[in-house]
């Protein structure tokens, strides 16, 4: 593997030295472009109390290309589909090389606090959210209990 | 826009007498080509690929032709600049800014003028322009230019392109010192300094992309003041240009910053090859956004056709254009050449043929059984005059009737006999008759399509014949080209004939359609004769007379085609045709 760009080394250093509250991101020892991520469900959200595992990969074109991120833990969310793919503009056309792993993870955390059913990835879940938000939140809470509790790891 | 003067001064007189559609000509089915008549030269000059194909010697407008221009890439650059200059001079805008704003308005000048008069700042913002003109700013600080001229050479030659090749930039003169540049800011107010695109060496600023600050790498910022080192800028812009197929504007690298990187900045910061690519992308969107322009649809062709026939005129005109590469297409719908059928009918017809392909699939177009001896005959050439190999029976492939009748003045193949359709109605349901009527036209349409495809095989045979002719006679290679021209003419006529049948399907039969059908029949017969002539065996003894025969027939066939096109087009402009479908859906 080609030498790691200085930028990635610096990002890793900073993530370890100065971690984001509620987020753990650790690169694999044998592949520093591949991160195991755990995001704590934000308080005041149906995901509260859950620990959500994600995988994050920095492709060869990073930072000109966005990182690839996916939820590994099942989650009931209008912007996240069954395969864990995330609908987030900065991971697609709004990506900017001035963004970082840190900003990406913060944005995902924010997405858990504020689901956006108007820009859905999973139409069924989004429809549920729009038709009956209370009921949808109940389902999300139930899923969090069922799939994302630290004990169920 | 270029060519406007010509459009304006062009006269459309409807009172001119068009000689081609005079009855004497239109019904002259037996007539041989009026060769030697100098008037007929007008028929054959339509293939010159010059700008205005309609300028015939008498400067008369043909109904079947529209005015258009073919542009190469260089022309487009010039036109784009002219457009931007025009609006720029009205409002005192720089070329760069006028271009950016026009582009964000999809090159709709009227909309731009309206919006800009209303709220210039809003238009500016929508175009991604920060409030200071980068051109003006740069001209205030010539050292930036100087720096880049020295700087870009080593940077670009060190950068390796996507394809793994070195960017084609001349190497910097060896030993040329790359001095750090400090810009004299004294002549600018602090406010102005903060509002311009600029390059600086800034010891205190970290590039947010590479997280570095190399002592001799300058940083660059648009007027928004988001600083990135020129190496990262170079990579960022290059990546956008190479990987984002349809981009028309590149944002400042800072996430969600509304400013766009202007063209001069791109030019300064990327390799010449990437800049060329960028310009090509901009040109593509310029053409795509422009209602009066269309790319030639031929594969790998880079020409653009400009034509001012409005969409609203498509019910009375078929704007057929021919690109400089030789490809003819319809400017109205972008489809293939479907003259004389208008776009709406051509579209309907194609849809109908696709939808009904199940129903009509029983028509076996490739084989037929000889009516006399029952031998299975396969069509292997474009000619519809068939001779059974087994019994020698001569018949017409299309109607299966005896060829003897076709060769005489009584030629009944091209029109659907109302009498027989009445008979059919006596025996069959109405829907059956409708289907039969459709199949009548479809068979003829499809047959010409099939024949045209087979005629392409004729090209190969013709190539061989041309060689043979050349060896057997004292004709030069140029002189044997007449064979190729003849095949071209046959293929072109079959294309036209195809669409006359689609057109006829939607035509309400009345006394004005008689002439149309006569013209169609004449063209069909002449085309079959030429096609047959080309398939006949070559007698080396009779080469000169054969050549003359083919030449005459080719001229005649081309003239017949013009008659059909001209008459239908004139009919459209006069609203002479009555259609059995509505054109407005
Ligand atoms: Zn940098
Ligand atoms: Zn910016
Ligand atoms: Zn072309
Ligand atoms: Zn068309
Ligand atoms: Zn036979
Ligand atoms: Zn026939």
């Amino acid at each position: 593997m080609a030498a790691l760009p200085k930028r990635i080394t610096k990002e890793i250093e900073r993530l370890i030295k100065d971690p984001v509250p509620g987020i753990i991101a650790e690169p694999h020892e044998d592949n520093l472009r591949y991160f195991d991520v755990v995001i704590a469900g934000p308080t005041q959200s149906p995901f509260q109390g859950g620990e959500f595992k994600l995988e994050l990969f920095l492709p060869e074109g990073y930072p000109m290309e966005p990182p690839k991120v996916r939820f590994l833990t099942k989650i009931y969310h209008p912007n996240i589909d069954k395969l864990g793919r995330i609908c987030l503009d900065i991971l697609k056309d709004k990506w900017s090389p001035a963004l970082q792993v840190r900003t990406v993870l913060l944005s995902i955390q924010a997405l858990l606090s504020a689901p956006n059913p108007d820009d859905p990835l999973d139409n069924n879940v989004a429809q549920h959210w729009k038709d009956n938000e209370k009921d949808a939140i109940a389902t999300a809470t139930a899923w969090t209990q069922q799939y994302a509790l630290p004990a169920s790891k | 826009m270029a060519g406007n003067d010509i459009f304006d001064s062009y006269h459309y007189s409807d009172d001119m007498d068009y000689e081609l559609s005079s009855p004497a000509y239109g019904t002259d089915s037996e007539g041989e080509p009026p060769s030697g008549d100098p008037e007929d030269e007008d028929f054959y000059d339509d293939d010159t690929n010059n700008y205005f194909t309609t300028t015939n010697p008498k400067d008369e407008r043909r109904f079947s032709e529209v005015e258009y221009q073919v542009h190469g890439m260089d022309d487009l650059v010039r036109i784009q600049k002219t457009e931007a200059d025009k609006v720029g001079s009205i409002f005192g805008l720089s070329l760069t800014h006028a271009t950016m704003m026009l582009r964000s308005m999809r090159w709709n000048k009227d909309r731009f003028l309206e919006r800009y008069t209303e709220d210039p700042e809003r238009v500016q913002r929508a175009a991604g322009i920060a409030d200071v003109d980068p051109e003006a700013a740069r001209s205030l600080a010539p050292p930036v230019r100087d720096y880049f001229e020295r700087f870009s050479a080593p940077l670009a030659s060190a950068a390796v392109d996507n394809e793994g090749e070195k960017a084609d930039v001349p190497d910097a003169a060896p030993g040329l010192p790359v001095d750090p540049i400090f810009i004299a800011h004294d002549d600018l107010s602090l406010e102005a300094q903060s509002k311009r695109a600029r390059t600086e060496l800034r010891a205190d600023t970290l590039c947010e992309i590479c997280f570095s600050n190399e002592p001799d790498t300058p940083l660059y910022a648009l007027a928004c003041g988001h600083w990135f080192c020129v190496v990262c800028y170079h990579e960022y812009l290059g990546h956008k240009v190479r990987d984002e197929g349809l981009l028309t504007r590149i944002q400042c690298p800072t996430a969600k910053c509304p400013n766009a990187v202007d063209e001069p900045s791109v030019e300064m910061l990327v390799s010449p090859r990437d800049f060329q690519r960028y310009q090509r992308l901009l040109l593509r969107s310029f053409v795509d956004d422009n209602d009066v322009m269309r790319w030639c649809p031929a594969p790998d062709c880079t020409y653009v056709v400009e034509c001012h026939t409005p969409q609203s005129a498509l019910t009375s005109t078929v704007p057929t254009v021919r690109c400089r590469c030789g490809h003819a297409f319809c400017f109205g719908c972008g489809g293939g050449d479907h003259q004389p059928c208008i776009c709406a009918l051509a579209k309907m017809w194609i849809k109908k043929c696709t939808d009904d392909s199940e129903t009509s699939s029983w028509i076996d177009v490739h084989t037929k059984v000889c009516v006399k001896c029952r031998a299975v005959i396969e069509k292997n050439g474009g000619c519809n005059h068939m001779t059974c190999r087994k019994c020698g029976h001569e018949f017409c492939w299309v109607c299966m009737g005896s060829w003897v009748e076709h060769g005489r003045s009584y030629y009944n193949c091209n029109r659907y006999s109302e009498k027989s359709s009445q008979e059919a109605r006596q025996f069959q349901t109405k829907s059956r008759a409708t289907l039969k009527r459709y199949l009548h036209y479809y068979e003829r349409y499809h047959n010409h399509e099939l024949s045209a495809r087979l005629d392409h095989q004729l090209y190969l045979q013709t190539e061989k014949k041309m060689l043979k002719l050349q060896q057997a006679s004292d004709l030069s290679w140029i002189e044997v080209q007449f064979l190729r021209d003849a095949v071209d003419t046959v293929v072109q006529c079959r294309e036209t004939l195809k669409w006359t049948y689609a057109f006829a399907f939607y035509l309400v039969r009345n006394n004005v359609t008689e002439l149309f059908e006569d013209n169609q029949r004449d063209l069909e017969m002449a085309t079959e004769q030429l096609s047959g002539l080309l398939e006949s065996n070559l007698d080396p003894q009779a080469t000169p007379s054969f050549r003359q025969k083919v030449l005459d027939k080719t001229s005649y066939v081309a003239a017949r085609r013009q008659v059909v096109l001209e008459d239908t087009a004139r009919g459209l402009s006069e609203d002479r045709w009555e259609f059995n479908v509505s054109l407005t859906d």
Side-chain angles (χ1 to χ4, degrees):
Chain A
M1 171 163 284
L4 214 57
K6 183 173 165 190
R7 146 141 188 178
I8 297 182
T9 322
K10 283 204 172 178
E11 277 202 65
I12 293 172
E13 274 171 22
R14 196 163 156 231
L15 277 169
I16 291 167
K17 210 178 80 197
D18 178 19
V20 192
I23 297 175
I24 305 164
E26 283 171 343
H28 280 201
E29 259 171 44
D30 56 345
N31 183 356
L32 293 170
R33 286 175 176 271
Y34 191 92
F35 292 72
D36 288 324
V37 179
V38 179
I39 298 182
T43 52
Q44 313 289 314
S45 82
F47 312 104
Q48 180 171 1
E51 277 185 4
F52 295 89
K53 285 204 243 175
L54 295 89
E55 59 177 0
L56 183 148
F57 179 68
L58 303 177
E60 200 57 53
Y62 184 82
M64 293 306 154
E65 287 165 27
K68 299 191 186 314
V69 202
R70 187 168 80 92
F71 271 83
L72 297 173
T73 307
K74 260 179 90 121
I75 181 165
Y76 196 77
H77 190 289
N79 309 106
I80 299 162
D81 73 2
K82 287 190 193 70
L83 298 171
R85 291 175 302 193
I86 306 161
C87 180
L88 190 61
D89 58 354
I90 59 157
L91 290 176
K92 290 169 200 153
D93 53 322
K94 291 290 184 305
W95 170 252
S96 138
L99 294 169
Q100 304 173 19
V101 171
R102 169 185 299 270
T103 36
V104 166
L105 295 177
L106 277 166
S107 300
I108 295 172
Q109 199 181 36
L111 194 65
L112 295 186
S113 297
N116 178 12
D118 290 326
D119 182 20
L121 191 58
D122 191 309
N123 278 317
N124 292 334
V125 180
Q127 202 54 49
H128 193 190
W129 226 275
K130 275 186 181 168
D131 294 347
N132 190 343
E133 191 175 340
K134 219 176 136 193
D135 193 55
I137 287 174
T139 309
T141 311
W143 280 41
T144 304
Q145 296 303 315
Q146 192 177 346
Y147 303 112
L149 286 190
S152 72
K153 263 196 273 189
Chain B
M1 188 160 294
N4 262 344
D5 318 349
I6 304 171
F7 291 128
D8 292 341
S9 65
Y10 215 87
H11 299 295
Y12 299 85
S13 54
D14 277 325
D15 52 359
M16 69 173 75
D17 199 356
Y18 208 90
E19 56 181 312
L20 294 188
S21 49
S22 67
Y25 222 103
T27 53
D28 179 19
S29 61
E30 288 281 76
E32 277 304 302
S35 58
D37 186 348
E39 297 281 77
D40 288 300
E41 285 308 303
D42 282 6
F43 293 139
Y44 319 124
D45 67 353
D46 63 333
D47 282 344
T48 47
N49 295 320
N50 291 327
Y51 275 1
F52 286 91
T53 56
T54 47
T55 45
N56 59 35
K58 272 176 273 162
D59 208 26
E60 276 176 9
R61 179 176 167 255
R62 283 181 183 163
F63 287 92
S64 58
E65 290 173 353
V66 290
E67 286 146 3
Y68 61 93
Q69 277 179 285
V70 182
H71 300 299
M73 288 293 176
D74 295 346
D75 303 322
L76 291 174
V77 174
R78 213 180 43 239
I79 293 168
Q80 201 178 239
K81 189 172 170 298
T82 312
E83 296 275 278
D85 269 340
K86 253 186 232 165
V87 304
S89 66
I90 298 173
F91 297 106
L93 299 165
S94 71
L95 181 64
T96 307
H97 278 180
T99 309
M100 284 168 90
M101 286 187 262
L102 270 179
R103 189 172 290 135
S104 84
M105 292 268 164
R106 299 176 59 88
W107 294 96
N108 185 331
K109 254 187 302 181
D110 296 335
R111 199 157 67 103
F112 170 79
L113 295 177
E114 197 189 304
R115 298 277 170 84
Y116 194 82
T117 317
E118 236 167 60
D119 189 350
E121 270 171 38
R122 198 168 142 209
V123 175
Q124 215 163 304
R125 241 177 294 126
I129 299 172
D131 45 358
V132 167
D133 190 327
E135 265 177 29
R138 243 175 257 116
S139 66
L140 285 174
V144 181
R145 263 275 170 225
D146 287 354
Y147 181 82
F148 265 98
E149 266 151 30
R150 258 174 293 169
F151 158 79
S152 65
L155 172 70
S157 61
V160 174
D161 223 77
N162 246 10
E163 294 92 8
E165 300 159 41
K166 288 214 163 188
D168 38 8
V169 182
D171 281 329
L176 185 79
V178 181
D179 300 335
I181 289 294
F182 294 95
I183 301 150
H185 286 162
D186 316 337
D187 54 340
L188 285 172
S189 71
L190 267 179
E191 197 197 15
Q193 283 176 32
S194 70
K195 278 188 176 176
R196 60 204 190 95
R198 58 205 188 277
T199 314
E200 283 177 21
L201 284 168
R202 296 168 66 98
D204 56 336
T205 310
L206 214 58
C207 166
E208 269 185 71
I209 295 177
C210 62
F211 294 178
S212 314
N213 185 351
E214 302 295 333
D216 55 357
T217 305
L219 290 110
Y220 185 76
L222 296 171
C224 52
H226 293 124
W227 293 96
F228 298 96
C229 78
V230 288
V231 179
C232 286
Y233 240 122
H234 176 88
E235 208 185 315
Y236 171 71
L237 297 172
H239 186 265
K240 289 278 179 198
V241 170
R242 287 190 301 264
D243 294 358
E244 288 179 26
L246 289 168
L247 101 169
T248 53
R249 99 181 207 193
I250 304 173
Q251 295 298 125
C252 162
T254 296
K256 294 175 186 176
C257 172
N259 285 320
V261 186
D262 55 276
E263 217 175 314
S265 294
V266 176
E267 181 172 18
M268 207 164 64
L269 290 160
V270 301
S271 69
R273 181 183 301 184
D274 279 346
F275 185 63
Q276 221 180 36
R277 234 179 235 139
Y278 178 59
Q279 280 188 309
R280 244 179 279 142
L281 290 170
L282 292 179
L283 281 187
R284 191 191 294 172
S285 81
F286 173 65
V287 174
D288 291 347
D289 288 351
N290 218 313
D291 289 340
V292 297
M293 302 223 184
R294 250 186 210 281
W295 294 99
C296 167
D300 299 325
C301 180
T302 55
Y303 288 118
V304 166
V305 175
E306 176 181 347
C307 173
H308 289 256
T309 302
Q311 288 286 314
S312 57
L314 292 181
T315 49
S316 57
T317 335
V318 190
T320 309
V321 298
R322 186 178 290 274
C323 176
R324 219 175 286 165
C325 75
H327 182 71
F329 64 98
C330 172
F331 190 87
C333 63
D337 170 11
H338 55 70
Q339 245 181 340
C341 207
I342 54 177
C343 293
L345 294 179
K347 199 176 147 201
M348 263 184 241
W349 175 256
I350 288 171
K351 188 175 181 303
K352 181 163 184 60
C353 293
T354 322
D355 293 351
D356 292 357
S357 61
E358 291 281 283
T359 333
S360 52
S361 64
W362 59 269
I363 315 164
D364 191 349
V365 283
H366 288 277
T367 59
K368 273 180 185 169
V369 175
C370 170
V371 284
K372 276 205 171 156
C373 73
R374 301 273 136 207
V376 173
I377 299 167
E378 207 186 312
K379 192 165 165 64
N380 56 3
C383 180
N384 285 323
H385 178 182
M386 306 302 292
T387 306
C388 174
R389 269 197 199 145
K390 211 169 153 203
C391 73
H393 173 57
E394 287 181 51
F395 63 95
C396 165
W397 177 263
V398 178
C399 68
M400 298 298 288
S402 164
W403 188 260
V404 183
E405 288 171 10
H406 287 65
R408 303 251 175 89
S409 57
Y410 178 67
Y411 183 81
N412 202 25
C413 186
N414 69 323
R415 74 183 73 171
Y416 184 65
S417 157
E418 292 294 311
K419 207 188 248 171
S420 76
S421 109
Q422 274 165 16
E423 279 165 18
R425 253 179 246 124
Q426 289 175 355
F427 296 104
Q428 294 166 342
T429 61
K430 195 165 178 262
S431 69
R432 183 87 187 124
T434 313
L435 176 67
K436 242 185 123 184
R437 181 175 180 278
Y438 163 65
L439 289 176
H440 166 84
Y441 291 104
Y442 177 76
E443 264 197 307
R444 279 148 188 82
Y445 169 89
H446 188 82
N447 179 61
H448 281 296
E449 188 170 62
L450 181 74
S451 296
R453 232 177 285 154
L454 293 169
D455 282 331
H456 279 97
Q457 293 173 11
L458 204 57
Y459 273 113
L460 299 173
Q461 292 171 25
T462 305
E463 203 81 43
K464 277 186 208 146
K465 268 191 195 166
M466 283 160 76
L467 260 175
K468 235 162 99 188
L469 253 186
Q470 212 194 348
Q471 285 157 0
S473 65
D474 50 5
L475 292 174
S476 70
W477 182 244
I478 300 292
E479 283 169 308
V480 297
Q481 289 298 321
F482 71 94
L483 274 177
R484 174 164 278 276
D485 294 344
V487 179
D488 282 342
T489 303
V490 168
V491 171
Q492 202 179 32
C493 286
R494 291 208 187 278
E495 198 62 33
T496 305
L497 280 167
K498 241 174 76 176
W499 288 105
T500 59
Y501 282 111
F503 187 69
F505 177 73
Y506 294 110
L507 219 48
V508 175
R509 276 198 90 188
N510 52 33
N511 52 342
V512 293
T513 54
E514 287 278 310
L515 184 63
F516 167 78
E517 283 171 345
D518 287 342
N519 288 336
Q520 182 190 40
R521 177 203 57 208
D522 291 346
L523 173 60
E524 188 159 57
M525 199 154 95
T527 305
E528 296 302 350
Q529 282 167 358
L530 180 58
S531 177
L533 196 58
L534 291 173
E535 280 180 40
S536 66
N537 283 325
L538 213 73
D539 177 6
Q541 303 300 306
T543 299
S545 74
F546 174 73
R547 180 167 181 269
Q548 196 52 49
K549 232 166 138 184
V550 172
L551 278 172
D552 289 349
K553 204 85 214 170
T554 306
S555 310
Y556 177 68
V557 168
R560 296 312 323 169
R561 177 169 172 270
Q562 270 310 316
V563 170
V564 168
L565 293 182
E566 207 44 43
D567 180 55
T568 43
R570 192 180 181 137
L572 284 170
S573 74
E574 290 168 354
D575 208 13
R576 193 201 305 157
W577 311 119
E578 194 187 328
F579 299 115
N580 52 29
V581 283
S582 157
L583 299 180
T584 51
D585 45 42

